[in-house]
Amino acid sequence: MKTSVARWIAVLGLGLAGVGHAQGQVPLPPSNNFQWGPLINVTDVTVGPGHRTVATGPGMPVVVATDFFVGNVAEPCIDCNTQLVFGLPEGSNECIYSGVGTLQGHAEFKLTAPPTPGIYPLWASPARTPDCEVARSVTQGGPALGLVGVHGDPWVWSWGSVSKVKLNGNTSHKINVFPGAPVTITTNYSINAAAGGCPSCISQVIFGVEQGSKACLYSGGGVVNVTEQSFTLIAPQQPGLYPVWAAAQWTFSCDQALSWSNGGVPVAFIEVKLP
């Protein structure tokens, strides 16, 4: 049986999407449907409230839904069943079906988001093993059918914090926009300059969107607590899911901080769609 399972997994691996988190732009998967041969497929895969992308906090539950079809797989495998497994890199996976014969069904289930902020592909893959427990242990990836953005809001570091980020007034940490659209970001932040620093430097808080614009929210010293400061960032030009990032700097000016800051902790996400 081990040889048969290994061969099955190896064949499935030919279509694997990139596994792991990404801080930069991630193209949307070409489809939320996938078919493995003539007898197994998933269709209309969604994450969150009926979308193909969703944002959530580290380690939080992600709701996934899908329709699926499993035919009568004829590959010889002693005491095997056919399984369908969904998962997130560095997060959890779930076996939504295990059996033999033909079935057309629908499944709604929850996965646990990874613990580190970034963008992760939701993958799916069949397996041929005795049960779901074995299938989950040997199935580690598959075609990407959706994207989960894990945000780091609130983000707390040694001398400050950023929290309660909103995009165009939305608190879901992800919005959809057209290419090049202006996006209003609203956030709280706190600074205690005495807890960090460098000789003659001043502290800055920078926000940006990958492949879009960036802005310097604050430059100064002392202790500040700012509530709902708003500013505008420009969305990227190409379709995809992009992190809105925050970074903290010690430099001599906002201009210098902006030149040094080309990325940071993802605190929200922008999905760019063509008109």
Side-chain angles (χ1 to χ4, degrees), residues 84-115:
L84 270 175
V85 182
F86 279 73
L88 291 168
E90 303 178 37
S92 69
N93 61 14
E94 186 67 37
C95 180
I96 69 166
Y97 169 80
S98 181
V100 295
T102 300
L103 176 67
Q104 185 167 347
H106 175 81
E108 295 185 13
F109 53 98
K110 292 181 180 180
L111 297 175
T112 301

PDB file of all heavy atoms in Angstrom, residues 84-115:
ATOM      1  N   LEU A  84     -10.778  13.551   0.290  1.00  0.00           N
ATOM      2  CA  LEU A  84     -10.546  14.914  -0.179  1.00  0.00           C
ATOM      3  C   LEU A  84     -10.068  15.737   1.015  1.00  0.00           C
ATOM      4  O   LEU A  84     -10.743  15.783   2.050  1.00  0.00           O
ATOM      5  CB  LEU A  84     -11.818  15.531  -0.752  1.00  0.00           C
ATOM      6  CG  LEU A  84     -12.077  15.336  -2.246  1.00  0.00           C
ATOM      7  CD1 LEU A  84     -13.435  15.906  -2.623  1.00  0.00           C
ATOM      8  CD2 LEU A  84     -10.987  15.994  -3.074  1.00  0.00           C
ATOM      9  N   VAL A  85      -8.909  16.358   0.857  1.00  0.00           N
ATOM     10  CA  VAL A  85      -8.290  17.114   1.948  1.00  0.00           C
ATOM     11  C   VAL A  85      -8.102  18.559   1.506  1.00  0.00           C
ATOM     12  O   VAL A  85      -7.645  18.826   0.392  1.00  0.00           O
ATOM     13  CB  VAL A  85      -6.938  16.496   2.344  1.00  0.00           C
ATOM     14  CG1 VAL A  85      -6.312  17.265   3.509  1.00  0.00           C
ATOM     15  CG2 VAL A  85      -7.108  15.013   2.718  1.00  0.00           C
ATOM     16  N   PHE A  86      -8.462  19.502   2.380  1.00  0.00           N
ATOM     17  CA  PHE A  86      -8.202  20.926   2.188  1.00  0.00           C
ATOM     18  C   PHE A  86      -7.256  21.400   3.286  1.00  0.00           C
ATOM     19  O   PHE A  86      -7.274  20.863   4.399  1.00  0.00           O
ATOM     20  CB  PHE A  86      -9.499  21.736   2.281  1.00  0.00           C
ATOM     21  CG  PHE A  86     -10.332  21.743   1.032  1.00  0.00           C
ATOM     22  CD1 PHE A  86     -11.038  20.611   0.644  1.00  0.00           C
ATOM     23  CD2 PHE A  86     -10.428  22.882   0.244  1.00  0.00           C
ATOM     24  CE1 PHE A  86     -11.810  20.610  -0.507  1.00  0.00           C
ATOM     25  CE2 PHE A  86     -11.202  22.895  -0.899  1.00  0.00           C
ATOM     26  CZ  PHE A  86     -11.895  21.761  -1.288  1.00  0.00           C
ATOM     27  N   GLY A  87      -6.443  22.432   2.989  1.00  0.00           N
ATOM     28  CA  GLY A  87      -5.555  22.923   4.020  1.00  0.00           C
ATOM     29  C   GLY A  87      -4.953  24.272   3.706  1.00  0.00           C
ATOM     30  O   GLY A  87      -5.112  24.824   2.612  1.00  0.00           O
ATOM     31  N   LEU A  88      -4.244  24.815   4.703  1.00  0.00           N
ATOM     32  CA  LEU A  88      -3.500  26.068   4.591  1.00  0.00           C
ATOM     33  C   LEU A  88      -2.064  25.805   5.025  1.00  0.00           C
ATOM     34  O   LEU A  88      -1.839  25.203   6.077  1.00  0.00           O
ATOM     35  CB  LEU A  88      -4.102  27.152   5.493  1.00  0.00           C
ATOM     36  CG  LEU A  88      -5.466  27.692   5.105  1.00  0.00           C
ATOM     37  CD1 LEU A  88      -6.046  28.528   6.250  1.00  0.00           C
ATOM     38  CD2 LEU A  88      -5.345  28.552   3.842  1.00  0.00           C
ATOM     39  N   PRO A  89      -1.053  26.229   4.249  1.00  0.00           N
ATOM     40  CA  PRO A  89       0.327  26.075   4.694  1.00  0.00           C
ATOM     41  C   PRO A  89       0.536  26.732   6.059  1.00  0.00           C
ATOM     42  O   PRO A  89       0.087  27.855   6.285  1.00  0.00           O
ATOM     43  CB  PRO A  89       1.133  26.802   3.609  1.00  0.00           C
ATOM     44  CG  PRO A  89       0.240  26.826   2.419  1.00  0.00           C
ATOM     45  CD  PRO A  89      -1.153  26.919   2.959  1.00  0.00           C
ATOM     46  N   GLU A  90       1.181  25.999   6.954  1.00  0.00           N
ATOM     47  CA  GLU A  90       1.463  26.470   8.311  1.00  0.00           C
ATOM     48  C   GLU A  90       0.209  26.612   9.162  1.00  0.00           C
ATOM     49  O   GLU A  90       0.283  27.034  10.321  1.00  0.00           O
ATOM     50  CB  GLU A  90       2.254  27.789   8.297  1.00  0.00           C
ATOM     51  CG  GLU A  90       3.569  27.693   7.532  1.00  0.00           C
ATOM     52  CD  GLU A  90       4.316  29.009   7.478  1.00  0.00           C
ATOM     53  OE1 GLU A  90       4.290  29.755   8.478  1.00  0.00           O
ATOM     54  OE2 GLU A  90       4.927  29.295   6.428  1.00  0.00           O
ATOM     55  N   GLY A  91      -0.962  26.281   8.590  1.00  0.00           N
ATOM     56  CA  GLY A  91      -2.201  26.276   9.348  1.00  0.00           C
ATOM     57  C   GLY A  91      -2.690  24.846   9.500  1.00  0.00           C
ATOM     58  O   GLY A  91      -1.904  23.904   9.570  1.00  0.00           O
ATOM     59  N   SER A  92      -3.998  24.650   9.505  1.00  0.00           N
ATOM     60  CA  SER A  92      -4.556  23.305   9.668  1.00  0.00           C
ATOM     61  C   SER A  92      -5.009  22.745   8.333  1.00  0.00           C
ATOM     62  O   SER A  92      -5.080  23.449   7.318  1.00  0.00           O
ATOM     63  CB  SER A  92      -5.735  23.330  10.646  1.00  0.00           C
ATOM     64  OG  SER A  92      -6.842  24.023  10.080  1.00  0.00           O
ATOM     65  N   ASN A  93      -5.312  21.439   8.325  1.00  0.00           N
ATOM     66  CA  ASN A  93      -5.961  20.823   7.170  1.00  0.00           C
ATOM     67  C   ASN A  93      -7.168  20.032   7.640  1.00  0.00           C
ATOM     68  O   ASN A  93      -7.314  19.744   8.831  1.00  0.00           O
ATOM     69  CB  ASN A  93      -4.990  19.973   6.345  1.00  0.00           C
ATOM     70  CG  ASN A  93      -4.393  18.822   7.129  1.00  0.00           C
ATOM     71  OD1 ASN A  93      -4.860  18.461   8.209  1.00  0.00           O
ATOM     72  ND2 ASN A  93      -3.329  18.229   6.600  1.00  0.00           N
ATOM     73  N   GLU A  94      -8.035  19.703   6.702  1.00  0.00           N
ATOM     74  CA  GLU A  94      -9.293  19.026   7.042  1.00  0.00           C
ATOM     75  C   GLU A  94      -9.640  18.036   5.952  1.00  0.00           C
ATOM     76  O   GLU A  94      -9.575  18.349   4.756  1.00  0.00           O
ATOM     77  CB  GLU A  94     -10.416  20.046   7.204  1.00  0.00           C
ATOM     78  CG  GLU A  94     -11.722  19.468   7.703  1.00  0.00           C
ATOM     79  CD  GLU A  94     -11.624  18.962   9.132  1.00  0.00           C
ATOM     80  OE1 GLU A  94     -10.927  19.592   9.947  1.00  0.00           O
ATOM     81  OE2 GLU A  94     -12.256  17.919   9.420  1.00  0.00           O
ATOM     82  N   CYS A  95     -10.016  16.843   6.360  1.00  0.00           N
ATOM     83  CA  CYS A  95     -10.482  15.803   5.442  1.00  0.00           C
ATOM     84  C   CYS A  95     -12.002  15.913   5.360  1.00  0.00           C
ATOM     85  O   CYS A  95     -12.705  15.651   6.338  1.00  0.00           O
ATOM     86  CB  CYS A  95     -10.053  14.435   5.958  1.00  0.00           C
ATOM     87  SG  CYS A  95     -10.562  13.044   4.927  1.00  0.00           S
ATOM     88  N   ILE A  96     -12.521  16.315   4.191  1.00  0.00           N
ATOM     89  CA  ILE A  96     -13.961  16.577   4.092  1.00  0.00           C
ATOM     90  C   ILE A  96     -14.741  15.381   3.563  1.00  0.00           C
ATOM     91  O   ILE A  96     -15.970  15.383   3.593  1.00  0.00           O
ATOM     92  CB  ILE A  96     -14.234  17.811   3.215  1.00  0.00           C
ATOM     93  CG1 ILE A  96     -13.889  17.538   1.749  1.00  0.00           C
ATOM     94  CG2 ILE A  96     -13.473  19.018   3.730  1.00  0.00           C
ATOM     95  CD1 ILE A  96     -14.449  18.582   0.800  1.00  0.00           C
ATOM     96  N   TYR A  97     -14.024  14.357   3.048  1.00  0.00           N
ATOM     97  CA  TYR A  97     -14.697  13.170   2.534  1.00  0.00           C
ATOM     98  C   TYR A  97     -13.758  11.976   2.639  1.00  0.00           C
ATOM     99  O   TYR A  97     -12.559  12.092   2.381  1.00  0.00           O
ATOM    100  CB  TYR A  97     -15.109  13.361   1.069  1.00  0.00           C
ATOM    101  CG  TYR A  97     -15.561  12.069   0.410  1.00  0.00           C
ATOM    102  CD1 TYR A  97     -16.842  11.582   0.623  1.00  0.00           C
ATOM    103  CD2 TYR A  97     -14.687  11.324  -0.379  1.00  0.00           C
ATOM    104  CE1 TYR A  97     -17.249  10.382   0.052  1.00  0.00           C
ATOM    105  CE2 TYR A  97     -15.093  10.132  -0.956  1.00  0.00           C
ATOM    106  CZ  TYR A  97     -16.372   9.657  -0.733  1.00  0.00           C
ATOM    107  OH  TYR A  97     -16.770   8.469  -1.298  1.00  0.00           O
ATOM    108  N   SER A  98     -14.313  10.826   3.008  1.00  0.00           N
ATOM    109  CA  SER A  98     -13.566   9.569   2.992  1.00  0.00           C
ATOM    110  C   SER A  98     -14.554   8.448   2.717  1.00  0.00           C
ATOM    111  O   SER A  98     -15.537   8.285   3.438  1.00  0.00           O
ATOM    112  CB  SER A  98     -12.864   9.332   4.334  1.00  0.00           C
ATOM    113  OG  SER A  98     -12.118   8.129   4.310  1.00  0.00           O
ATOM    114  N   GLY A  99     -14.314   7.711   1.628  1.00  0.00           N
ATOM    115  CA  GLY A  99     -15.235   6.627   1.307  1.00  0.00           C
ATOM    116  C   GLY A  99     -14.917   5.986  -0.022  1.00  0.00           C
ATOM    117  O   GLY A  99     -13.857   6.214  -0.611  1.00  0.00           O
ATOM    118  N   VAL A 100     -15.844   5.159  -0.493  1.00  0.00           N
ATOM    119  CA  VAL A 100     -15.733   4.516  -1.798  1.00  0.00           C
ATOM    120  C   VAL A 100     -17.039   4.741  -2.545  1.00  0.00           C
ATOM    121  O   VAL A 100     -18.038   5.149  -1.971  1.00  0.00           O
ATOM    122  CB  VAL A 100     -15.464   3.000  -1.650  1.00  0.00           C
ATOM    123  CG1 VAL A 100     -14.108   2.755  -1.008  1.00  0.00           C
ATOM    124  CG2 VAL A 100     -16.571   2.325  -0.832  1.00  0.00           C
ATOM    125  N   GLY A 101     -17.001   4.494  -3.835  1.00  0.00           N
ATOM    126  CA  GLY A 101     -18.204   4.683  -4.628  1.00  0.00           C
ATOM    127  C   GLY A 101     -18.325   6.107  -5.132  1.00  0.00           C
ATOM    128  O   GLY A 101     -17.387   6.894  -5.091  1.00  0.00           O
ATOM    129  N   THR A 102     -19.520   6.456  -5.604  1.00  0.00           N
ATOM    130  CA  THR A 102     -19.763   7.745  -6.250  1.00  0.00           C
ATOM    131  C   THR A 102     -20.592   8.636  -5.331  1.00  0.00           C
ATOM    132  O   THR A 102     -21.584   8.192  -4.758  1.00  0.00           O
ATOM    133  CB  THR A 102     -20.506   7.534  -7.576  1.00  0.00           C
ATOM    134  OG1 THR A 102     -19.704   6.725  -8.436  1.00  0.00           O
ATOM    135  CG2 THR A 102     -20.784   8.854  -8.259  1.00  0.00           C
ATOM    136  N   LEU A 103     -20.150   9.910  -5.212  1.00  0.00           N
ATOM    137  CA  LEU A 103     -20.885  10.844  -4.373  1.00  0.00           C
ATOM    138  C   LEU A 103     -20.730  12.257  -4.911  1.00  0.00           C
ATOM    139  O   LEU A 103     -19.638  12.677  -5.274  1.00  0.00           O
ATOM    140  CB  LEU A 103     -20.358  10.803  -2.932  1.00  0.00           C
ATOM    141  CG  LEU A 103     -20.995  11.822  -1.971  1.00  0.00           C
ATOM    142  CD1 LEU A 103     -22.467  11.505  -1.733  1.00  0.00           C
ATOM    143  CD2 LEU A 103     -20.240  11.872  -0.656  1.00  0.00           C
ATOM    144  N   GLN A 104     -21.840  12.978  -4.992  1.00  0.00           N
ATOM    145  CA  GLN A 104     -21.824  14.404  -5.273  1.00  0.00           C
ATOM    146  C   GLN A 104     -22.328  15.105  -4.033  1.00  0.00           C
ATOM    147  O   GLN A 104     -23.425  14.814  -3.551  1.00  0.00           O
ATOM    148  CB  GLN A 104     -22.698  14.739  -6.478  1.00  0.00           C
ATOM    149  CG  GLN A 104     -22.615  16.199  -6.894  1.00  0.00           C
ATOM    150  CD  GLN A 104     -23.231  16.444  -8.265  1.00  0.00           C
ATOM    151  OE1 GLN A 104     -23.492  15.496  -8.997  1.00  0.00           O
ATOM    152  NE2 GLN A 104     -23.448  17.701  -8.597  1.00  0.00           N
ATOM    153  N   GLY A 105     -21.509  16.015  -3.461  1.00  0.00           N
ATOM    154  CA  GLY A 105     -21.894  16.598  -2.194  1.00  0.00           C
ATOM    155  C   GLY A 105     -21.450  18.039  -2.030  1.00  0.00           C
ATOM    156  O   GLY A 105     -20.875  18.652  -2.925  1.00  0.00           O
ATOM    157  N   HIS A 106     -21.734  18.559  -0.848  1.00  0.00           N
ATOM    158  CA  HIS A 106     -21.368  19.928  -0.471  1.00  0.00           C
ATOM    159  C   HIS A 106     -20.802  19.870   0.934  1.00  0.00           C
ATOM    160  O   HIS A 106     -21.286  19.116   1.788  1.00  0.00           O
ATOM    161  CB  HIS A 106     -22.600  20.840  -0.501  1.00  0.00           C
ATOM    162  CG  HIS A 106     -22.319  22.232  -0.017  1.00  0.00           C
ATOM    163  ND1 HIS A 106     -21.742  23.198  -0.818  1.00  0.00           N
ATOM    164  CD2 HIS A 106     -22.532  22.831   1.197  1.00  0.00           C
ATOM    165  CE1 HIS A 106     -21.616  24.316  -0.132  1.00  0.00           C
ATOM    166  NE2 HIS A 106     -22.092  24.120   1.086  1.00  0.00           N
ATOM    167  N   ALA A 107     -19.766  20.641   1.188  1.00  0.00           N
ATOM    168  CA  ALA A 107     -19.149  20.651   2.513  1.00  0.00           C
ATOM    169  C   ALA A 107     -18.873  22.085   2.947  1.00  0.00           C
ATOM    170  O   ALA A 107     -18.450  22.917   2.144  1.00  0.00           O
ATOM    171  CB  ALA A 107     -17.846  19.847   2.501  1.00  0.00           C
ATOM    172  N   GLU A 108     -19.117  22.359   4.206  1.00  0.00           N
ATOM    173  CA  GLU A 108     -18.722  23.610   4.845  1.00  0.00           C
ATOM    174  C   GLU A 108     -17.940  23.243   6.097  1.00  0.00           C
ATOM    175  O   GLU A 108     -18.391  22.429   6.898  1.00  0.00           O
ATOM    176  CB  GLU A 108     -19.936  24.459   5.189  1.00  0.00           C
ATOM    177  CG  GLU A 108     -20.711  24.941   3.970  1.00  0.00           C
ATOM    178  CD  GLU A 108     -21.846  25.890   4.323  1.00  0.00           C
ATOM    179  OE1 GLU A 108     -21.877  26.360   5.490  1.00  0.00           O
ATOM    180  OE2 GLU A 108     -22.689  26.164   3.451  1.00  0.00           O
ATOM    181  N   PHE A 109     -16.777  23.844   6.270  1.00  0.00           N
ATOM    182  CA  PHE A 109     -15.891  23.451   7.358  1.00  0.00           C
ATOM    183  C   PHE A 109     -14.999  24.625   7.711  1.00  0.00           C
ATOM    184  O   PHE A 109     -14.992  25.666   7.031  1.00  0.00           O
ATOM    185  CB  PHE A 109     -15.056  22.227   6.959  1.00  0.00           C
ATOM    186  CG  PHE A 109     -14.305  22.399   5.669  1.00  0.00           C
ATOM    187  CD1 PHE A 109     -12.973  22.768   5.651  1.00  0.00           C
ATOM    188  CD2 PHE A 109     -14.942  22.188   4.442  1.00  0.00           C
ATOM    189  CE1 PHE A 109     -12.288  22.942   4.465  1.00  0.00           C
ATOM    190  CE2 PHE A 109     -14.253  22.344   3.239  1.00  0.00           C
ATOM    191  CZ  PHE A 109     -12.925  22.730   3.262  1.00  0.00           C
ATOM    192  N   LYS A 110     -14.224  24.476   8.795  1.00  0.00           N
ATOM    193  CA  LYS A 110     -13.336  25.536   9.250  1.00  0.00           C
ATOM    194  C   LYS A 110     -11.893  25.047   9.257  1.00  0.00           C
ATOM    195  O   LYS A 110     -11.613  23.909   9.629  1.00  0.00           O
ATOM    196  CB  LYS A 110     -13.718  26.007  10.653  1.00  0.00           C
ATOM    197  CG  LYS A 110     -15.060  26.728  10.718  1.00  0.00           C
ATOM    198  CD  LYS A 110     -15.377  27.185  12.137  1.00  0.00           C
ATOM    199  CE  LYS A 110     -16.717  27.909  12.183  1.00  0.00           C
ATOM    200  NZ  LYS A 110     -17.043  28.363  13.565  1.00  0.00           N
ATOM    201  N   LEU A 111     -10.985  25.932   8.837  1.00  0.00           N
ATOM    202  CA  LEU A 111      -9.554  25.708   8.960  1.00  0.00           C
ATOM    203  C   LEU A 111      -8.981  26.760   9.905  1.00  0.00           C
ATOM    204  O   LEU A 111      -9.549  27.837  10.059  1.00  0.00           O
ATOM    205  CB  LEU A 111      -8.869  25.817   7.597  1.00  0.00           C
ATOM    206  CG  LEU A 111      -9.275  24.785   6.541  1.00  0.00           C
ATOM    207  CD1 LEU A 111      -8.601  25.111   5.206  1.00  0.00           C
ATOM    208  CD2 LEU A 111      -8.917  23.380   6.986  1.00  0.00           C
ATOM    209  N   THR A 112      -7.853  26.442  10.502  1.00  0.00           N
ATOM    210  CA  THR A 112      -7.176  27.386  11.385  1.00  0.00           C
ATOM    211  C   THR A 112      -6.118  28.134  10.600  1.00  0.00           C
ATOM    212  O   THR A 112      -5.267  27.525   9.940  1.00  0.00           O
ATOM    213  CB  THR A 112      -6.531  26.658  12.573  1.00  0.00           C
ATOM    214  OG1 THR A 112      -7.542  25.962  13.298  1.00  0.00           O
ATOM    215  CG2 THR A 112      -5.840  27.652  13.493  1.00  0.00           C
ATOM    216  N   ALA A 113      -6.159  29.466  10.647  1.00  0.00           N
ATOM    217  CA  ALA A 113      -5.196  30.283   9.920  1.00  0.00           C
ATOM    218  C   ALA A 113      -3.798  30.123  10.505  1.00  0.00           C
ATOM    219  O   ALA A 113      -3.638  29.828  11.693  1.00  0.00           O
ATOM    220  CB  ALA A 113      -5.614  31.750   9.969  1.00  0.00           C
ATOM    221  N   PRO A 114      -2.767  30.313   9.689  1.00  0.00           N
ATOM    222  CA  PRO A 114      -1.389  30.256  10.180  1.00  0.00           C
ATOM    223  C   PRO A 114      -1.129  31.309  11.260  1.00  0.00           C
ATOM    224  O   PRO A 114      -1.847  32.309  11.352  1.00  0.00           O
ATOM    225  CB  PRO A 114      -0.551  30.528   8.928  1.00  0.00           C
ATOM    226  CG  PRO A 114      -1.450  30.151   7.791  1.00  0.00           C
ATOM    227  CD  PRO A 114      -2.831  30.514   8.237  1.00  0.00           C
ATOM    228  N   PRO A 115      -0.074  31.131  12.064  1.00  0.00           N
ATOM    229  CA  PRO A 115       0.202  32.061  13.158  1.00  0.00           C
ATOM    230  C   PRO A 115       0.977  33.308  12.743  1.00  0.00           C
ATOM    231  O   PRO A 115       1.127  34.227  13.546  1.00  0.00           O
ATOM    232  CB  PRO A 115       1.034  31.217  14.125  1.00  0.00           C
ATOM    233  CG  PRO A 115       1.750  30.241  13.242  1.00  0.00           C
ATOM    234  CD  PRO A 115       0.793  29.927  12.132  1.00  0.00           C
TER     235      PRO A 115
END
